[in-house]
Amino acid sequence: MKQEDKIETEQLILEAAKKVFIEKGYAGARMQAIADEAQINKAMLHYYYRSKEALFSKILDSTVAIMAKQILPVLSGKGTVMEKVELLVGNYIDTITENPHIPMFVLNELAQDQVNFQEKMVAQMQNDDVFSKFMMQIMAEQKQGLLLPVAPHHFMLTVMSLIIFPFIAKPIFTGVMNIPEFMYMQMMQERKQIVIEIIKKSFVK
Amino acid sequence: MKQEDKIETEQLILEAAKKVFIEKGYAGARMQAIADEAQINKAMLHYYYRSKEALFSKILDSTVAIMAKQILPVLSGKGTVMEKVELLVGNYIDTITENPHIPMFVLNELAQDQVNFQEKMVAQMQNDDVFSKFMMQIMAEQKQGLLLPVAPHHFMLTVMSLIIFPFIAKPIFTGVMNIPEFMYMQMMQERKQIVIEIIKKSFVK
DNA sequence: TTTAAGTTTAACCGTTTGGTTAGTACAATA
DNA sequence: TATTGTACTAACCAAACGGTTAAACTTAAA
């Protein structure tokens, strides 16, 4: 049927584009490669999504949304800083294990900023100033004596480093240091506990 | 004079190529942009370095060499694990502060691996199995009771995360969270102490 | 059964890309 | 001074690129 075919094709294109863009980056991605991946004609890409930029923009939006909907509710929810961090670590590692290319993709495009990506991130992330409020909570718990008096910026940067970087560094382990895939995956699971312990020892009184 | 001009031009091209490649990545870099940056004719690039790939390869080699000569001597030198880590943290943060795009560049090209980059890293890094030996040292100090019994892989991954990621995340802070450049630079200097403290609290008995 | 609207295709287009070429300018050599 | 080798340039080329077009096909409604 017509309507269903259309929706199928649209979805097919999105998935193919996601794969190619995330693997190759914006500059390295080829419209023909996306068409091949989706097993459709190249003209269809422009029929459904006007241009390469427009298609890329869609992928970027949905990718950021995946992460935002994973992170923002936790940060703005109830619980102590450490309870939130524990949730974050688990959630994030599980989500990224399923889409391991996302962090590299986001950070790379953010660094090169070819498609006014920053504004989109700002729009998604500064919703209700979730980050500012979380930093306020950190400072509050520091005054209460629950957390050590380390600058909130450094606290957040540390948490981010510990959970995001291992996925960016995957090729170093599997490629350069020759650690097999399954062992790397196992490490990522072990990370959950290790990261939480590191943060507790470093920032909790 | 002829000879001097040649050396000057060669160097000019290398510096221009380094800038453009590191900022834009291999796929995003344009030979014309490199020529413009070096204020020379585009044909000169091919006169001195046969192709885009060849030129890129040169840049990649020298970039990896910069990092390797910063890291390998420390790891294979004398001193306890923690003494080595303290040296590494300081050296690395200072080196990268001067070339802030290097980590993103290396990790991105490693992930996309368009130019058999992995082999080069392996060749540079597995010199004398420096990493294996360092991991052995970690295990030895754990048996001595100097370090807590955490898997050496996780120890190294943690150290790498804490010192490399902050530079990759720069656009998040300056762009998305709107933290001014000088404040970010100040954070990177403060990091030296903070990272060392985190590692001590997390891994030293 | 006709019609109109939406979907898909092949073939094509203009531009940009990495790369080449034929030739110029000039310094060193003999 | 004639010659030779090297640094450099403008002009060009074929291929790859993102994007368009016009026509064919499919389907649902009139």
Side-chain angles (χ1 to χ4, degrees), chain B residues 2 6 9 41 43-44 47-48:
Chain B
K2 249 162 121 191
K6 179 187 172 181
T9 309
N41 193 290
M44 293 294 288
Y47 178 73
Y48 283 101

Side-chain angles (χ1 to χ4, degrees), chain A residues 129-202:
Chain A
D129 260 338
V130 175
F131 281 96
S132 310
K133 286 182 183 172
F134 184 65
M135 295 220 273
M136 302 269 280
Q137 188 185 359
I138 293 174
M139 289 166 74
E141 293 192 13
Q142 287 176 337
K143 279 185 185 166
Q144 284 182 260
L146 292 172
L147 298 177
L148 294 171
V150 180
H153 281 147
H154 282 289
F155 180 89
M156 291 191 58
L157 183 52
T158 302
V159 174
M160 288 170 64
S161 300
L162 291 173
I163 60 185
I164 300 178
F165 184 81
F167 292 95
I168 297 177
K170 182 181 178 182
I172 294 182
F173 282 81
T174 61
V176 181
M177 298 181 68
N178 225 31
I179 289 172
E181 183 87 8
F182 83 93
M183 211 162 158
Y184 171 80
M185 298 296 272
Q186 191 186 312
M187 274 181 73
M188 293 305 104
Q189 287 306 313
E190 295 164 358
R191 275 262 115 189
K192 291 179 188 170
Q193 287 182 25
I194 291 179
V195 167
I196 289 170
E197 280 171 28
I198 293 174
I199 295 171
K200 277 184 183 167
K201 286 182 182 174
S202 303

Side-chain angles (χ1 to χ4, degrees), chain A residues 100-115:
Chain A
H101 290 288
I102 284 186
M104 197 65 218
F105 174 66
V106 170
L107 286 166
N108 191 34
E109 301 302 333
L110 205 55
Q112 299 188 2
D113 199 30
Q114 286 154 333
V115 210

